[in-house]
Amino acid sequence: MRRYSRIVGTGGYLPPRRVSNNELAAELAARGVQTSDEWIVERTGIHARHFAAPEVASSDLAEQAARQALEAAGVAAQDLDLVIVATSTPDMVFPSTATILQHKLGITNGCPAFDVQAVCSGFVYALTVADAMVQAGSARCALVVGAEVFSRILDFSDRTTCVLFGDGAGAVVLRAGDTPGILASDLHADGRHVGLLCVPGHVSGGAILGDPLLKMDGQAVFKLAVGVLEKTAHATLEKAGVAASEVDWLVPHQANIRIMQSTARRLHLPMERVVVTVGEHGNTSAASIPLALDHAVRAGQILPGQNVLLEGVGGGFTWGSLLVKM
């Protein structure tokens, strides 16, 4: 009998500190950088984001989201046999944030734990890997987390990027079963565009070489994102044999309201069927899709049996999508 994986629990966590556009604008003004709530909302749809305290790491956010997902799934941490964390802001160079999370959850059964780095597409990549491992029989119960502290890598002298991002974590628990849950997926990358969105610094000899802060060509990213998101969505739907009209909810990477609106139009989906959390969360990179998914599940929007399309695009350039039967 063929094995499938199914999402049986979701969780999400945002740091307590909510930073409104007005508060951020005031902080930036003190640095000589001018922006406003109106300017940010018009271009991005963002009203606020959450920043983690200096002592809080990605694994701390991941732990909170993971515990929520485990509780929702009715699964004990020791029952997990796979832990994957998608992050671009790991706690350390190594070991992986996943192993740190494994320890914080008290998992001592020796299950594999590793990170996936695909920036804002990271959760889609990680969920696809976990699904494949479940289908192959390598795992029966997997925890997949997206966790970021992007506030640590922002250039607060660049108003075009520092207003976009926030911190947070989202998680899902996958369990093996005999009915399909992950219906299809589609992943891509194109390294020719590595310079469009990157953090070009690295550690060497105990010092930072290059620039350790986020750099982005916003217009180029927007243009590329809209095109590839439409293509990957159609590819996943075709693999699953599902029409766009049969999609109950689109849960996109929460990068920019304009990108989400454009993607919805191209898929002929009304915005009423798009989960939008960017207004309060900002762009939390690999955490944005699972955070939005958990929000919609807990709000009673996404219901069991519905078709949910997840999609993201990020630096690399990476992009991908999954179709999930909840």
Side-chain angles (χ1 to χ4, degrees):
M1 182 180 294
R2 183 176 175 183
R3 288 164 55 105
Y4 300 96
S5 72
R6 195 174 199 92
I7 294 175
V8 294
T10 68
Y13 182 75
L14 293 165
R17 185 190 172 200
R18 178 184 182 271
V19 181
S20 68
N21 287 344
N22 287 329
E23 181 180 350
L24 182 60
E27 293 182 7
L28 293 178
R31 300 169 181 251
V33 179
Q34 298 303 315
T35 190
S36 67
D37 175 66
E38 294 76 16
W39 189 90
I40 297 170
V41 172
E42 179 184 353
R43 288 161 177 78
T44 69
I46 298 170
H47 295 268
R49 73 288 295 146
H50 290 248
F51 286 167
E55 69 278 7
V56 173
S58 286
S59 65
D60 295 315
L61 304 182
E63 179 187 2
Q64 297 300 319
R67 292 191 183 280
Q68 280 195 11
L70 288 167
E71 181 180 2
V75 170
Q78 285 288 6
D79 293 334
L80 295 170
D81 52 16
L82 175 64
V83 177
I84 305 178
V85 174
T87 185
S88 297
T89 52
D91 290 19
M92 305 179 186
V93 173
F94 70 84
S96 69
T97 301
T99 58
I100 298 171
L101 173 62
Q102 181 189 46
H103 173 63
K104 289 182 175 180
L105 292 174
I107 303 170
T108 57
N109 59 16
C111 73
F114 57 90
D115 289 355
V116 168
Q117 219 297 38
V119 201
C120 302
S121 305
F123 183 77
V124 171
Y125 268 62
L127 194 55
T128 300
V129 171
D131 172 58
M133 292 182 69
V134 171
Q135 289 197 48
S138 299
R140 291 194 58 82
C141 192
L143 173 68
V144 184
V145 185
E148 303 282 16
V149 283
F150 250 58
S151 58
R152 310 283 164 78
I153 58 172
L154 297 180
D155 181 355
F156 287 97
S157 68
D158 178 8
R159 71 170 183 168
T160 65
T161 58
C162 71
V163 301
L164 301 176
F165 296 91
D167 304 335
V172 302
V173 173
L174 285 182
R175 183 183 283 154
D178 55 8
T179 57
I182 309 295
L183 303 182
S185 63
D186 182 66
L187 299 179
H188 297 276
D190 189 344
R192 292 176 299 174
H193 304 296
V194 67
L196 294 184
L197 176 55
C198 61
V199 177
H202 62 280
V203 177
S204 177
I208 296 173
L209 297 185
D211 193 333
L213 301 179
L214 184 146
K215 306 298 176 188
M216 182 174 71
D217 182 339
Q219 290 186 341
V221 168
F222 183 95
K223 182 178 179 181
L224 190 59
V226 169
V228 299
L229 287 173
E230 178 187 9
K231 290 179 181 178
T232 188
H234 283 302
T236 289
L237 291 171
E238 183 177 349
K239 290 177 185 179
V242 173
S245 60
E246 297 176 90
V247 173
D248 295 292
W249 291 98
L250 173 64
V251 183
H253 162 49
Q254 306 288 311
N256 181 307
I257 190 63
R258 291 180 176 181
I259 293 177
M260 290 187 279
Q261 289 170 337
S262 180
T263 301
R265 282 196 301 270
R266 291 179 177 221
L267 294 175
H268 305 292
L269 291 174
M271 285 302 294
E272 291 76 19
R273 286 160 61 187
V274 180
V275 176
V276 179
T277 58
V278 69
E280 282 296 311
H281 296 181
N283 182 351
T284 55
S285 189
S288 77
I289 291 174
L291 264 172
L293 178 65
D294 179 63
H295 172 82
V297 168
R298 292 177 186 272
Q301 295 175 284
I302 294 178
L303 302 173
Q306 292 187 327
N307 291 323
V308 180
L309 182 63
L310 315 178
E311 62 173 11
V313 60
F317 212 72
T318 65
W319 65 97
S321 57
L322 289 120
L323 184 64
V324 179
K325 175 78 73 174
M326 296 299 290

